[in-house]
Amino acid sequence: MTSSPNPHRLNASVRSGRIDRARAIDCTVDGRRVRGHPGDTLASALLACGITEVGPSIHRGRARGVFTADCTEPNALVQRLDGCPEPMLPATELEIYEGLEVRTLSGVGWLSGQRDTAGYDKKFVRSDVVVVGAGPAGLAASLVAARGGARVMLIDQHRELGGTLPDGQAHVSGHPATEWVGRAARELAENENVRILTRSVALGCYDHNYLLVAERRAEHLPVWRSSGPRQRLWHVRAGQVVLATGAHERPLVFADNDRPGVMLASAVRSYVNRYAVLPGREGVVFTTSDSAYATALDLLSCGARVPAIVDTRAEPPARLVEQVRAAGAQVYPGSVVTAATGEPGVTGVRIAGLDGNGSLTGTPVEVGCDLLAVSGGWNPAVQLFAQSGGTVRWDPVVAGFVPDSPGGRSARVVGAARGTYDLAGCLAQGFAAGAEAATVAGFRVAPPAVPQVDGDRPVGRPRPVWAVPDESRPRRECTEHFVDLQRDATVADVHAATETGMRSVQHVKRYTTVSTGVEQGKSSGVNTIGVLAETLAASSPGEVGTTTFRPPYTPVPLALFAGRTRGPLYDPVRTTPMHTRHEQAGAVFEDVGQWKRARYYPKNGEDMETAVLRECAAARTGVALQDVSTLGRIEVVGSDAPVFLDRVYTNKFSNLPVGKARYGVMCGADGMVLDDGVSLRLAEDRYLMSTTTGGAAKVLDWLEEWLQTEWPKLDVYCTSVTEQWAAVAVVGPDSRTVVGRLAPELDVSAEGFGFMRFAETVLRNGVPARVARVSFSGELAFEVNVARWYGQALWDAAMEAGRDLGITPYGTETMHVLRAEKGFVIVGQDTDGTVTPLDLGMNWAVSRSKDFIGKRSLSRPEMLRADRKHLVGLLPVDGHSLLPEGAHLVDQRAPRRPPVPMLGHVTSSYRSAALGRTFALGLVSGGRERVGEVLRAPVGGTDIEVEVTTPVFYDEEGVRRDGAAQG
Amino acid sequence: MLLIRCPWCGDRDEVEFRYGGQADVDYPADPERLDDTAWGNYLFVRANPLGTLTERWVHTAGCRRWFSVVRDTATNEMSPDIPSRRESR
């Protein structure tokens, strides 16, 4: 055996192709070695090796072959196996490199379990003029805009500029068009105002000229050769956008139109001219318009036979017919291919006449072939235009959906993307749009004269055929007439959809799954619309309309959107000045907003439950301390600060004396609890408001909104000072001793330092501090605040001052238990935006004497209903059972047939060291009237019985906060 | 991604802003005097036109200031909320 590795590669004297024959590249497809050259795609390399067939179809397992040479490929989808495995890559787009290893797929790939270690990054840029598509129209637009001095960005999917020009044989100014492309590329590359992105897909075109562009930077390189990011996502804000996105050729629908060897006519040209590959030696061409005649001529010029050109039109342009006849092809005008024959690959076609009504005439003839090039016409690539808000209409002259107003407000559409298929027209539109766009962007420039071209894409009116009638079967039985190769959907499927009563193309799409594959309707969409229009006897495909075009234009890995914002870079991490101390103490952390807070401090391999019981016991019987630096702090300053706080808090703050603190609740205008916290009055015109850790930014926004939009005349300024302070809560019966040692100048006695007072002092270590007697645990407690940079010194000093008393650091979990034992709520845990202060039983904090935001809502009838959910305590009857937070609560007697009436749910649930049992808080319908009732919490197939109680479980009299009672 | 003109900072990407809903829904001078329907309307009822809407935005990641713009909800075309036009409304 001495066969060439590329038996279908054309001799360089016939077609040079855009490949580097001097170098060979070996890759592996389904375990077979495939040899190609730099410049090949995987599809062209496969075809050069004589491999037409790829993976079988998704549902029916039918043999399929390479069908296109672009991103509309429905069949040749592969899973990359080298590097990080990646699914569903079109072989027609995949550039080969040494070591590439793939498996062909049957319409479904798989996600790798591996971590993708490749780099992905993002760039954010502005540009005066962005041109999408570097075919003749796009190049022309870029050239002119750049000559005007505009900053131009030219984006193209392919390795090389030129669009489809390298696929054809056109001439510009008497020279091959590829030379014109080369000159244009050089001129653009030499202009420093121009950025050319090749191998880059404009994924989406959004409002106000915002584009997302996925640039493949290293995918065509073996892993070991790539450095830097594999892909880059460009966020582009454009002054003006020119869309020169080209057009996609439509397949044709006939019996067994899915056989390997059936290929788009334009793809055949691409393989012959760009890749120097001859996909077949006997090629029948089946067309509805002029463009496929060039395919026939290309095949003939490469030594292939063209036994038949089947044209749906009764009178194809005489010039074309003469041209192909002279080259040796036979034309069948007014005819169709009714069926491809052969299995699995095409070995012939059946040709019959098609009368003016679209019915078959005469006796079908059989013609042998190994390649069937089909052209059902062209679909302008209007995806980006439609995404950016443009509407499309059916144009019967070009037989395609075209932009309704191609010179619209946002994007200008030029060339094939608006149904202009002749080279001169594309250049003229490109020059004009480039000049216009640059001029509007502030760079006045006039379009140049269009050079002399010899048209490669002649224009004659097409005769589209949406589905060739079957020789014997009615439509409902056309189960081998495929409209969507990737989804194995047929004319019979579309027919069945209409039989069920569906009329909308959107419904038919979802019912049949047509155009839901990776090609997203680029090849299947319009044929389906055409078939549907005929089935529904609509006047034109325009009457049916299109489905919605949505980004991304082609599939894109999610990793690209993540970019570098993965892992620790996903979100900023905020830590307190004492963070290293928590780490040293072995803390387990939890995320609270962006903060890392110590959750608990396990000792000697304790689990969370044991550690929390120990920490709770320390706080209730000895002394414990917590880092509370993360609490939000906002300074509210100005002569109207008291008035303002009276309006935003449900309770009064104007009568709070300087030097004292008060707990406050704020509501939305709807009366629902928004946030809570303690505010200190530092001076007549100055408050220090504290917020929940997660609510700080939201509360500041809220205050600003009211100040700016409703009460701009109030003299109030709000400043976030969260980051200026570090704070430690010292909690427990022994906390007075510890704080007394820590702040020797401070009178910490019960008489000298009352509850809800604060004082300025200097700590023993010389650090100025503000100490407040506030308590979120019900115990005697002091909150010591210092300037942030003293945070660690404060922590160390407090630990030192309490060492002989066994001072115990505690985390958020213990804090949660301690406050829940006292029935203190956590906004966002025990509330969820549907809970009012009255629901929480906080009538004491709701002023009757003044208005506040949300007050009027509290008297709406809905708020006064007896069955509103109230905050209650919940005690599992079996004191060992721990209720899961979120568990539903139902009536004991309620039948368990859905829908079971839900009375409420558990919001917080813990084990209590102080109570020696489990307990919970919950929201229960009419809960305050149910105290003493036993409800059930269905959990994992069994019920937990719970008794409804008041929400305060511990020290109901509140004697412990002054340290009076010793535990 | 809308391009929004902050009256103080200029043209910025939408991610820097937070949406504030329909503009000119004033907090009632004396909420207690409103009946439940009128208060409900203040709380919950907003215009939802296909066409121009005067709406509020706040430049949260910039100058933190609130302002109003007129936006066409069909095309997202935005123009400044001119005070003289406000008077005539």
Side-chain angles (χ1 to χ4, degrees):
Chain A
M1 290 264 289
T2 55
S3 67
S4 143
N6 277 186
H8 285 248
R9 186 76 71 181
L10 290 164
N11 195 296
S13 61
V14 180
R15 285 292 190 282
S16 58
R18 316 282 299 171
I19 53 167
D20 177 6
R21 291 173 197 251
R23 290 198 292 140
I25 291 176
D26 285 324
C27 39
T28 312
V29 181
D30 295 334
R32 280 190 294 185
R33 201 189 73 171
V34 170
R35 171 162 285 186
H37 298 291
D40 266 322
T41 62
L42 183 64
S44 69
L46 284 169
L47 292 171
C49 295
I51 303 170
T52 310
E53 201 177 324
V54 293
S57 72
I58 181 168
H59 297 305
R60 294 172 58 178
R62 288 172 65 97
R64 292 285 162 82
V66 175
F67 189 73
T68 74
D70 59 23
C71 67
T72 67
E73 177 61 35
N75 294 337
L77 300 165
V78 299
Q79 176 100 18
R80 191 207 309 257
L81 301 176
D82 59 308
C84 186
E86 194 176 342
M88 302 298 276
L89 300 168
T92 48
E93 297 267 287
L94 189 58
E95 292 178 41
I96 60 167
Y97 53 83
E98 191 66 39
L100 172 68
E101 189 184 353
V102 304
R103 188 177 303 170
T104 56
L105 297 172
S106 288
V108 183
W110 67 89
L111 287 176
S112 135
Q114 286 180 36
R115 190 179 166 82
D116 186 354
T117 53
Y120 298 86
D121 71 4
K122 298 178 187 177
K123 277 212 170 199
F124 296 78
V125 295
R126 281 175 175 258
S127 183
D128 297 315
V129 178
V130 169
V131 180
V132 182
L139 279 174
S142 305
L143 284 171
V144 181
R147 283 172 196 164
R151 283 175 306 168
V152 176
M153 202 161 165
L154 174 61
I155 298 155
D156 195 85
Q157 274 180 282
H158 299 106
R159 178 173 64 96
E160 288 187 295
L161 303 184
T164 55
L165 288 177
D167 297 329
Q169 302 276 321
H171 285 68
V172 177
S173 309
H175 299 283
T178 45
E179 285 179 22
W180 179 82
V181 172
R183 277 199 308 279
R186 269 195 304 283
E187 182 181 330
L188 293 170
E190 283 163 10
N191 186 328
E192 60 180 11
N193 281 330
V194 178
R195 192 195 303 270
I196 302 172
L197 293 183
T198 52
R199 297 186 173 104
S200 299
V201 181
L203 301 172
C205 186
Y206 305 87
D207 286 310
H208 300 174
N209 291 345
Y210 199 79
L211 292 101
L212 279 186
V213 180
E215 181 191 11
R216 301 187 302 274
R217 292 178 64 84
E219 282 188 24
H220 55 290
L221 301 173
V223 177
W224 56 269
R225 266 193 57 201
S226 59
S227 61
R230 179 162 178 263
Q231 291 194 24
R232 176 174 286 165
L233 186 65
W234 293 76
H235 290 250
V236 186
R237 178 74 72 182
Q240 301 290 311
V241 176
V242 178
L243 297 176
T245 43
H248 299 128
E249 195 167 36
R250 281 195 293 265
L252 275 162
V253 180
F254 49 89
D256 294 316
N257 59 332
D258 63 331
R259 297 289 188 213
V262 181
M263 195 180 281
L264 289 178
S266 60
V268 173
R269 290 202 84 194
S270 183
Y271 288 120
V272 168
N273 293 317
R274 189 187 289 256
Y275 301 105
V277 171
L278 189 60
R281 305 201 191 281
E282 277 193 295
V284 168
V285 175
F286 177 19
T287 185
T288 60
S289 65
D290 296 352
S291 64
Y293 283 78
T295 304
L297 292 171
D298 276 334
L299 286 171
L300 290 162
S301 72
C302 293
R305 285 189 59 242
V306 178
I309 299 178
V310 184
D311 195 324
T312 54
R313 298 169 300 178
E315 290 176 7
R319 181 177 58 88
L320 291 175
V321 173
E322 273 165 36
Q323 226 179 334
V324 291
R325 275 195 186 137
Q330 188 181 345
V331 179
Y332 292 74
S335 299
V336 287
V337 169
T338 60
T341 58
E343 192 171 355
V346 173
T347 55
V349 295
R350 292 170 63 83
I351 301 171
L354 187 75
D355 68 16
N357 301 321
S359 302
L360 299 183
T361 57
T363 312
V365 294
E366 279 208 43
V367 173
C369 64
D370 61 355
L371 174 70
L372 173 53
V374 295
S375 175
W378 293 83
N379 294 328
V382 295
Q383 283 84 357
L384 292 179
F385 172 77
Q387 282 172 25
S388 67
T391 54
V392 297
R393 67 181 163 83
W394 179 254
D395 184 330
V397 177
V398 302
F401 286 98
V402 298
D404 215 356
S405 49
R409 191 169 35 82
S410 45
R412 292 174 175 76
V413 188
V414 292
R418 65 191 255 194
T420 302
Y421 297 131
D422 67 300
L423 181 52
C426 287
L427 290 173
Q429 287 175 10
F431 284 139
E436 247 176 61
T439 303
V440 174
F443 304 88
R444 183 169 289 278
V445 62
V450 176
Q452 189 67 38
V453 301
D454 77 46
D456 202 49
R457 278 185 178 171
V459 275
R461 193 160 171 165
R463 182 193 181 189
V465 170
W466 303 118
V468 174
D470 193 79
E471 288 176 29
S472 55
R473 292 178 297 177
R475 274 199 165 202
R476 68 167 57 84
E477 290 167 27
C478 285
T479 51
E480 277 75 37
H481 284 53
F482 289 87
V483 291
D484 187 330
L485 297 172
Q486 200 182 341
R487 286 290 182 232
D488 265 349
T490 63
V491 168
D493 294 327
V494 175
H495 196 269
T498 61
E499 297 267 271
T500 67
M502 291 181 203
R503 295 294 178 269
S504 158
V505 65
Q506 303 278 14
H507 293 155
V508 172
K509 168 184 173 174
R510 282 152 184 83
Y511 187 76
T512 59
T513 73
V514 161
S515 78
T516 58
V518 291
E519 53 91 34
Q520 286 287 294
K522 292 185 191 74
S523 73
S524 60
V526 175
N527 278 340
T528 305
I529 293 165
V531 170
L532 186 59
E534 283 180 350
T535 312
L536 299 175
S539 60
S540 82
E543 197 180 321
V544 171
T546 65
T547 53
T548 309
F549 298 102
R550 292 190 181 87
Y553 177 70
T554 55
V556 56
L558 286 174
L560 181 58
F561 291 111
R564 293 174 187 228
T565 52
R566 303 198 279 186
L569 297 181
Y570 174 66
D571 205 22
V573 172
R574 301 172 81 182
T575 56
T576 69
M578 303 80 135
H579 189 74
T580 50
R581 290 292 183 261
H582 307 324
E583 285 178 336
Q584 287 158 2
V588 174
F589 291 92
E590 73 167 333
D591 293 333
V592 182
Q594 291 171 335
W595 290 101
K596 294 281 177 208
R597 294 198 75 178
R599 191 174 185 196
Y600 58 99
Y601 298 79
K603 267 187 175 174
N604 311 321
E606 283 174 328
D607 59 8
M608 182 170 89
E609 198 179 308
T610 322
V612 169
L613 287 172
R614 174 178 52 75
E615 293 172 15
C616 285
R620 292 266 184 242
T621 60
V623 61
L625 84 172
Q626 187 189 16
D627 176 2
V628 293
S629 307
T630 60
L631 286 183
R633 291 177 185 80
I634 300 168
E635 270 205 17
V636 182
V637 183
S639 57
D640 292 319
V643 178
F644 179 57
L645 287 195
D646 277 352
R647 293 184 191 178
V648 297
Y649 276 125
T650 59
N651 47 343
K652 244 184 159 166
F653 276 80
S654 54
N655 61 359
L656 177 69
V658 173
K660 290 203 79 170
R662 184 168 287 168
Y663 171 81
V665 179
M666 57 179 80
C667 294
D670 56 3
M672 303 304 164
V673 172
L674 196 74
D675 204 78
D676 68 347
V678 169
S679 292
L680 316 182
R681 190 160 195 180
L682 305 178
E684 284 300 324
D685 65 346
R686 185 172 293 253
Y687 292 81
L688 180 63
M689 172 190 285
S690 68
T691 72
T692 57
T693 295
K698 188 180 67 182
V699 170
L700 182 62
D701 278 355
W702 176 247
L703 300 181
E704 284 288 352
E705 177 177 348
W706 286 88
L707 279 175
Q708 289 185 36
T709 67
E710 291 293 345
W711 304 316
K713 295 201 168 90
L714 288 186
D715 171 33
V716 179
Y717 301 89
C718 298
T719 310
S720 167
V721 293
T722 305
E723 302 277 356
Q724 271 64 44
W725 293 95
V728 168
V730 185
V731 178
D734 292 336
S735 61
R736 180 167 284 139
T737 313
V738 172
V739 174
R741 292 175 185 170
L742 190 60
E745 295 173 15
L746 193 66
D747 176 4
V748 294
S749 68
E751 307 73 40
F753 197 0
F755 186 58
M756 289 309 238
R757 295 205 64 98
F758 66 90
E760 315 282 339
T761 186
V762 175
L763 303 183
R764 193 173 55 177
N765 59 10
V767 173
R770 178 184 291 140
V771 182
R773 265 209 55 203
V774 295
S775 175
F776 195 40
S777 57
E779 293 300 327
L780 175 67
F782 298 82
E783 191 186 280
V784 187
N785 294 269
V786 296
R788 194 157 194 89
W789 46 85
Y790 294 128
Q792 192 170 302
L794 168 64
W795 183 266
D796 291 345
M799 288 296 285
E800 183 55 37
R803 190 171 306 282
D804 60 324
L805 297 166
I807 193 165
T808 303
Y810 70 94
T812 51
E813 199 63 28
T814 291
M815 178 265 282
H816 283 190
V817 178
L818 296 176
R819 62 88 205 178
E821 288 170 348
K822 286 290 292 176
F824 296 151
V825 298
I826 289 183
V827 173
Q829 170 155 350
D830 301 297
T831 71
D832 59 3
T834 67
V835 180
T836 71
L838 306 182
D839 298 336
L840 296 174
M842 286 192 177
N843 311 45
W844 53 269
V846 177
S847 169
R848 294 186 209 302
S849 63
K850 57 148 187 134
D851 188 32
F852 57 84
I853 298 169
K855 184 178 190 182
R856 176 64 184 82
S857 292
L858 298 181
S859 58
R860 291 177 64 231
E862 186 67 20
M863 304 300 160
L864 304 172
R865 286 170 54 150
D867 62 349
R868 282 196 69 78
K869 288 181 181 173
H870 300 154
L871 180 79
V872 293
L874 298 167
L875 285 176
V877 172
D878 164 15
H880 297 288
S881 301
L882 185 67
L883 290 163
E885 288 173 356
H888 281 287
L889 298 168
V890 300
D891 195 301
Q892 292 212 54
R893 298 161 304 243
R896 290 300 170 84
R897 275 190 319 276
V900 179
M902 301 292 168
L903 296 180
H905 66 280
V906 177
T907 59
S908 297
S909 174
Y910 312 99
R911 290 183 201 279
S912 165
L915 306 178
R917 55 163 299 136
T918 57
F919 75 106
L921 295 174
L923 291 167
V924 174
S925 174
R928 285 194 285 271
E929 314 309 320
R930 290 180 190 270
V931 170
E933 260 183 55
V934 174
L935 304 178
R936 285 167 185 261
V939 174
T942 58
D943 281 6
I944 299 177
E945 291 197 320
V946 291
E947 187 191 336
V948 179
T949 68
T950 59
V952 184
F953 298 94
Y954 185 76
D955 183 29
E956 211 162 337
E957 308 74 31
V959 294
R960 299 186 61 87
R961 70 171 197 208
D962 293 320
Q966 292 299 315
Chain B
M1 177 84 72
L2 302 180
L3 187 68
I4 299 173
R5 181 159 296 175
C6 169
W8 293 278
C9 305
D11 289 339
R12 300 298 181 95
D13 282 347
E14 184 183 348
V15 287
E16 295 187 13
F17 298 84
R18 189 164 66 76
Y19 184 59
Q22 183 186 346
D24 308 321
V25 181
D26 292 335
Y27 185 67
D30 187 356
E32 295 302 321
R33 290 173 65 101
L34 298 186
D35 63 21
D36 288 328
T37 307
W39 179 253
N41 285 341
Y42 161 72
L43 278 185
F44 303 120
V45 179
R46 295 293 182 271
N48 186 22
L50 180 70
T52 56
L53 174 70
T54 308
E55 60 189 18
R56 306 184 308 162
W57 290 83
V58 56
H59 195 185
T60 40
C63 63
R64 307 188 60 89
R65 290 176 77 169
W66 285 83
F67 58 94
S68 298
V69 297
V70 178
R71 182 174 62 97
D72 187 315
T73 60
T75 63
N76 278 334
E77 207 165 341
M78 296 173 103
S79 52
D81 181 29
I82 309 288
S84 60
R85 208 186 313 157
R86 290 174 69 97
E87 301 307 320
S88 64
R89 265 205 305 273

